[in-house]
Amino acid sequence: MADPKLGVYICSDCGIGDALDTEKLGNIARNQYRIETVKTVPFLCSQEGAQVIKDDINNEGVNKIVIAACSQRVNYDTFDYDPSKYITERVNLREHVVWSQMAPEAGEETAAEESAEAPAEETAAEADSPPAVNENTQEMAEDHLRMGIVRAQKCEPPEPVIEAVERTVLVIGGGAAGLSSALESAKAGYKVILAEKEAELGGWAKKMYRILPDQPPFEDVKASDIGDKITAVQTHENITILTGAHIDSIAGMPGQYDATISHNGSTETHRIGSVVIAIGWKPYDAGKLEHLGYGKFKNVVTNVEIEEMAAANNGAINKPSDGQKAKRVAFLQCAGQRDPEHLPYCSSVCCMTSLKQALYVTESDPDASAFIVYKDMRTPGLYENFYKAAQNNPGVMLTKGEIVSITGDTAGNIILEIDNTILGEKVRIEVDMLVLATGMVTNMLPEGVEKVTDLTPEYVGQWKETETQDGIIKEVMADPVVLNLVYRQGPELPYLKYGFPDSHFVCFPYETRRTGIYAAGTVRAPMTAMQSANDGIGAALKAIQCVELTSRGQAVHPRSGDESFPEINFTNCTQCRRCTVECPFGALDEDEKGTPTTNTSRCRRCGTCMGACPQRIISFKNYSVNMIADQMKAINVPEEDSKPRIIALICENDAYPALDIAGLNKLKMSPFYRFISMRCLGGMNLVWIADALSAGIEGFLLIGCRYDDDYQCHFVKGSKAANERLGKVQETLSRLMLESERVTQVQLAMNEWDQLPKIMDDFAEQLKGFGPNPFKGF
């Protein structure tokens, strides 16, 4: 960029000017940092206020802009300056300082109040004096301004890494999700390669006699329209269909993947930009449900088997034992589901599927009856109308209950004994057939395996563990099933304990831990055919977005548009492999010597590699170990023991907005904390702790996302990586003769903002019990 010129702009509204001496704040920028352009502006976010900054950019050459006002999460459109030309640093004085503090406690006097006690006539100068200011609040604001200025000084505009990209999407799976994904990608102008392992397209949707309602009023089942979608895909000029396909390997990175695919006796390598994996589901193995009569009685079938029966017989339901029409059919919900011995989760669509199949029974024979025995009937959203329509059918009876026993008689009838929880008594039902509503298992798992915790010895021997030098297990991965990725971390997508691809489900449902590869439909979660089709569309949009952002050298979620990229000083690299192991997304590989090699477009800019590196040789132009270290050095540490300084490293995705919400609600928090925003706690480098504590900082509070099984970390395992690194801090603090508890990490979800004052007060009280940092003043 051109010669850097800083401008500091302090807002005086939203209570900031009432609580702080803004002139004193401005003098810190002028005198301590020799910044010429320093202005206090009322309502900086107004059109007039924003124009002040624009005028200084155009007339004064300001290109590094420090805005001391409100949270970076608001008014971002007002302060939106071209990041390739300008550095914009937001200092949160409103939510994190002023609104989180209160007026002086009863009996506590400010300097202004003390002077007011002396009787004297008010002079003009006194009338214009600043309002009463709480000293601790003022010092908090001053330190945050110092840190913001230092951060802006150290920042440089990022230089995006731009490379040629291939605008082709590989869609794996030709069912409802895959067909929708392929069709919508093609309509958007992208080329599509649709790979299906079977000889024809359609998946489960093609095998169904009827599908659930997919349009208002959501009351009636309908014939599947999958045939129309298949025709549309087959006739679209942008779509190449490969049936009988197998993915031999996928190597490279978003925009530049090379997919080798075998199909019908030939093998080809295709350059692709991104991948949608829509390989669907398989039914839970009913052979494990003998206690429910499956395999024991001929007339006990699964929901998949009765669907096939209806499709083959034009809706007629016949008993397997003798081929005669079934007059009384029972449906048992949650068969092997919500059961720790089988599938612990609910497959969500089984209740609606049983309602649909109960209608087959009554439609094929008006004199027939269907009985649905359920634990809980789950028909979300407008599917409640479908539930009510089934209730109103005189041939359908629903009862809530638990199965006590399932027996058969010599005529082949099935006898159910039910403990009816509504009537409070046992009920006996005799039926011709029993249908077990078995669950959905993702096709990400190998055949014969329904959940990761149920792996047989055959598969256990094939699983791999990746460890760091200090023995911490980072990944556990099965042998290839679908993708055969050429990644250091393994050939398949990391997945959760039930086999569904790992993602930050709440915020980014299509995401996987491999950038540019998106899961859609029932491979990622149980859902209906309609939901799968919509899911395929969503995944297609993400796949396209990824390629387009990559073409501009920008990151995808959660830092969409970020043009920075980690730079490595290879001269000082010791080949310790910590960065390559800890990267959550496989952005770093390594050569035969262990030196990291980069895959630019796999990177999501979390900075975990930066925190992992003990040599401090990984940095971004606008985010580095030295930058944050200098921010900490900018904090003024008073000699008074009554004014401790505590650094809080806060995750920008959960902790930062939680602090914002606490401020909005005017929750009072300790004024002795100094907040430093992190892209992810995974970027935390241990050198900061040693340096800051040596300079007199009392302690470190790391506030990050939740980790482990129910993690909420937007970068998957950054918060966990920070926690693991803290296991090494004991040695550092022992060397300094300080208590290890001076550094603590807490897990916090955004909606737990109301817990922040207690968390912070408790930690401050704990530090107080240790006594002052002995390094203070040195």
Side-chain angles (χ1 to χ4, degrees):
M1 68 186 305
D3 292 339
K5 181 170 183 179
L6 264 74
V8 175
Y9 303 89
I10 303 168
C11 181
S12 61
D13 275 289
C14 294
I16 296 173
D18 297 331
L20 301 175
D21 184 340
T22 55
E23 182 63 25
K24 190 175 179 182
L25 280 175
N27 287 335
I28 287 176
R30 295 185 190 95
N31 302 329
Q32 189 171 340
Y33 294 96
R34 306 300 180 192
I35 299 173
E36 296 177 359
T37 306
V38 180
K39 297 181 179 179
T40 299
V41 184
F43 279 119
L44 190 56
C45 61
S46 66
Q47 185 174 352
E48 295 79 6
Q51 190 62 44
V52 172
I53 300 176
K54 292 178 182 177
D55 289 344
D56 286 347
I57 290 173
N58 295 328
N59 302 327
E60 305 297 329
V62 169
N63 52 20
K64 290 192 173 185
I65 306 148
V66 177
I67 297 170
C70 49
S71 167
Q72 64 187 24
R73 295 173 59 84
V74 298
N75 293 319
Y76 42 81
D77 52 342
T78 302
F79 306 119
D80 182 21
Y81 307 108
D82 185 349
S84 67
K85 298 179 180 178
Y86 307 105
I87 297 298
T88 306
E89 179 61 28
R90 302 284 296 273
V91 178
N92 192 337
L93 295 183
R94 188 177 72 174
E95 288 88 347
H96 290 187
V97 180
V98 171
W99 285 1
S100 70
Q101 303 303 310
M102 295 174 66
E105 301 287 353
E108 182 182 346
E109 294 181 329
T110 64
E113 287 173 330
E114 289 178 1
S115 62
E117 292 177 1
E121 293 185 5
E122 183 179 64
T123 64
E126 289 170 338
D128 293 334
S129 62
V133 171
N134 181 291
E135 186 176 298
N136 288 329
T137 306
Q138 180 72 22
E139 290 175 353
M140 188 180 189
E142 291 172 3
D143 277 342
H144 279 84
L145 180 62
R146 291 187 184 99
M147 291 191 292
I149 292 172
V150 167
R151 192 161 183 147
Q153 288 176 330
K154 293 290 182 179
C155 272
E156 294 297 330
E159 297 175 2
V161 180
I162 298 176
E163 299 177 293
V165 300
E166 175 62 40
R167 288 178 167 83
T168 298
V169 177
L170 170 62
V171 178
I172 307 174
L179 291 170
S180 293
S181 190
L183 195 56
E184 295 303 320
S185 296
K187 288 178 179 178
Y190 268 57
K191 298 291 185 182
V192 176
I193 296 171
L194 176 58
E196 166 57 48
K197 70 175 183 177
E198 303 295 340
E200 57 183 28
L201 303 175
W204 285 106
K206 191 174 183 180
K207 300 175 183 178
M208 292 180 183
Y209 174 61
R210 294 285 186 267
I211 62 172
L212 294 169
D214 60 2
Q215 56 189 353
F218 287 85
E219 292 178 350
D220 301 313
V221 297
K222 56 175 283 187
S224 174
D225 59 357
I226 199 71
D228 296 338
K229 193 166 288 185
I230 291 171
T231 300
V233 166
Q234 289 173 332
T235 57
H236 202 292
E237 61 181 1
N238 284 348
I239 301 176
T240 300
I241 300 171
L242 305 178
T243 54
H246 177 268
I247 309 300
D248 296 336
S249 68
I250 298 177
M253 57 185 173
Q256 299 180 5
Y257 279 122
D258 288 317
T260 302
I261 306 172
S262 298
H263 65 103
N264 299 327
S266 64
T267 300
E268 300 170 349
T269 298
H270 305 266
R271 175 55 64 97
I272 58 172
S274 54
V275 182
V276 173
I277 179 168
I279 58 174
W281 62 283
K282 56 196 168 195
Y284 182 72
D285 182 6
K288 300 178 180 180
L289 304 177
E290 187 177 349
H291 65 291
L292 297 179
Y294 190 86
K296 187 176 180 181
F297 305 114
K298 287 185 178 181
N299 290 331
V300 176
V301 299
T302 67
N303 46 7
V304 170
E305 290 167 343
I306 195 174
E307 190 72 37
E308 293 172 340
M309 181 187 302
N313 300 323
N314 197 30
I317 305 301
N318 301 324
K319 294 185 291 182
S321 61
D322 57 15
Q324 298 299 308
K325 184 168 288 188
K327 303 288 287 185
R328 293 167 60 86
V329 180
F331 294 83
L332 178 59
Q333 300 309 107
C334 301
Q337 300 184 71
R338 302 169 67 188
D339 182 342
E341 299 301 319
H342 298 281
L343 290 186
Y345 56 85
C346 168
S347 293
S348 75
V349 301
C350 306
C351 290
M352 294 180 289
T353 298
S354 291
L355 290 172
K356 177 186 73 169
Q357 293 172 346
L359 296 179
Y360 296 169
V361 175
T362 60
E363 286 175 1
S364 64
D365 184 349
D367 295 327
S369 300
F371 305 86
I372 299 178
V373 182
Y374 62 88
K375 292 180 181 179
D376 301 285
M377 184 58 63
R378 298 185 174 185
T379 54
L382 290 175
Y383 282 117
E384 179 73 12
N385 293 341
F386 184 49
Y387 172 48
K388 289 179 179 178
Q391 280 182 312
N392 293 332
N393 186 315
V396 178
M397 187 194 84
L398 297 99
T399 182
K400 182 180 178 69
E402 296 283 347
I403 291 292
V404 176
S405 67
I406 298 174
T407 57
D409 62 17
T410 56
N413 297 319
I414 307 299
I415 301 162
L416 308 178
E417 188 174 358
I418 305 165
D419 189 358
N420 193 303
T421 57
I422 294 178
L423 300 178
E425 59 185 42
K426 287 186 173 60
V427 175
R428 186 176 184 274
I429 301 176
E430 183 177 316
V431 294
D432 298 331
M433 284 178 61
L434 171 63
V435 181
L436 303 180
T438 53
M440 305 172 79
V441 178
T442 174
N443 275 333
M444 285 301 299
L445 287 175
E447 287 296 328
V449 178
E450 277 78 26
K451 56 182 185 291
V452 174
T453 52
D454 227 13
L455 285 172
T456 64
E458 173 190 0
Y459 290 108
V460 170
Q462 296 178 11
W463 279 46
K464 300 177 177 68
E465 295 178 351
T466 302
E467 303 184 8
T468 62
Q469 291 181 343
D470 54 5
I472 298 172
I473 296 175
K474 294 295 176 184
E475 303 255 4
V476 182
M477 190 84 59
D479 270 358
V481 178
V482 183
L483 294 174
N484 285 290
L485 296 171
V486 182
Y487 271 61
R488 181 197 185 281
Q489 287 83 351
E492 284 302 324
L493 300 177
Y495 40 69
L496 303 173
K497 59 186 175 182
Y498 303 129
F500 298 108
D502 192 1
S503 74
H504 189 288
F505 184 83
V506 176
C507 297
F508 312 112
Y510 308 110
E511 311 307 337
T512 70
R513 282 171 56 182
R514 299 294 172 257
T515 308
I517 301 176
Y518 301 91
T522 51
V523 70
R524 74 168 186 86
M527 61 184 74
T528 67
M530 181 187 74
Q531 291 167 333
S532 291
N534 290 335
D535 216 51
I537 296 171
L541 292 173
K542 296 301 293 184
I544 292 171
Q545 180 193 54
C546 176
V547 176
E548 293 303 315
L549 287 170
T550 297
S551 72
R552 301 195 291 267
Q554 297 175 336
V556 298
H557 54 272
R559 295 188 59 83
S560 295
D562 188 345
E563 295 181 344
S564 65
F565 185 75
E567 300 173 349
I568 304 174
N569 179 4
F570 291 103
T571 304
N572 296 325
C573 179
T574 62
Q575 291 82 37
C576 71
R577 295 182 171 87
R578 286 192 176 93
C579 60
T580 57
V581 168
E582 291 199 23
C583 175
F585 307 109
L588 297 172
D589 288 323
E590 57 197 40
D591 62 20
E592 63 280 358
K593 295 180 180 179
T595 304
T597 60
T598 59
N599 296 278
T600 313
S601 55
R602 294 184 191 176
C603 177
R604 300 195 195 176
R605 283 66 162 181
C606 60
T608 297
C609 56
M610 183 183 88
C613 180
Q615 297 298 106
R616 292 169 282 169
I617 63 170
I618 302 177
S619 63
F620 300 77
K621 286 190 178 298
N622 56 1
Y623 186 62
S624 68
V625 173
N626 290 337
M627 173 194 296
I628 294 176
D630 285 346
Q631 281 188 275
M632 295 177 182
K633 292 174 185 175
I635 297 171
N636 182 40
V637 180
E639 293 186 6
E640 302 99 305
D641 293 341
S642 61
K643 293 187 174 184
R645 292 294 180 257
I646 307 167
I647 291 176
L649 299 179
I650 57 173
C651 158
E652 70 179 10
N653 293 300
D654 271 281
Y656 192 104
L659 278 165
D660 279 357
I661 299 170
L664 284 166
N665 284 275
K666 306 298 191 296
L667 298 189
K668 184 178 181 184
M669 290 178 279
S670 168
F672 302 124
Y673 280 86
R674 304 297 182 257
F675 303 116
I676 297 179
S677 176
M678 304 280 294
R679 295 182 178 187
C680 174
L681 279 194
M684 186 273 297
N685 197 292
L686 293 177
V687 70
W688 298 334
I689 294 173
D691 289 352
L693 292 177
S694 298
I697 295 295
E698 295 293 337
F700 271 83
L701 181 62
L702 280 62
I703 311 177
C705 305
R706 297 199 170 277
Y707 53 83
D708 286 333
D709 285 350
D710 296 320
Y711 77 84
Q712 295 179 349
C713 178
H714 286 56
F715 295 106
V716 182
K717 61 178 187 177
S719 189
K720 179 69 176 294
N723 185 259
E724 289 170 349
R725 281 184 217 136
L726 289 187
K728 307 171 190 174
V729 83
Q730 177 72 53
E731 178 184 343
T732 300
L733 297 186
S734 295
R735 189 170 65 249
L736 296 173
M737 301 183 69
L738 292 171
E739 299 82 1
S740 61
E741 292 83 4
R742 286 183 182 270
V743 183
T744 295
Q745 180 176 346
V746 295
Q747 302 176 57
L748 186 84
M750 189 192 305
N751 62 355
E752 295 172 328
W753 53 270
D754 57 324
Q755 299 178 23
L756 275 168
K758 185 176 188 308
I759 289 171
M760 294 166 63
D761 289 345
D762 287 351
F763 183 59
E765 195 63 29
Q766 178 178 308
L767 292 176
K768 187 176 180 181
F770 297 143
N773 184 340
F775 289 95
K776 183 182 287 188
F778 283 89

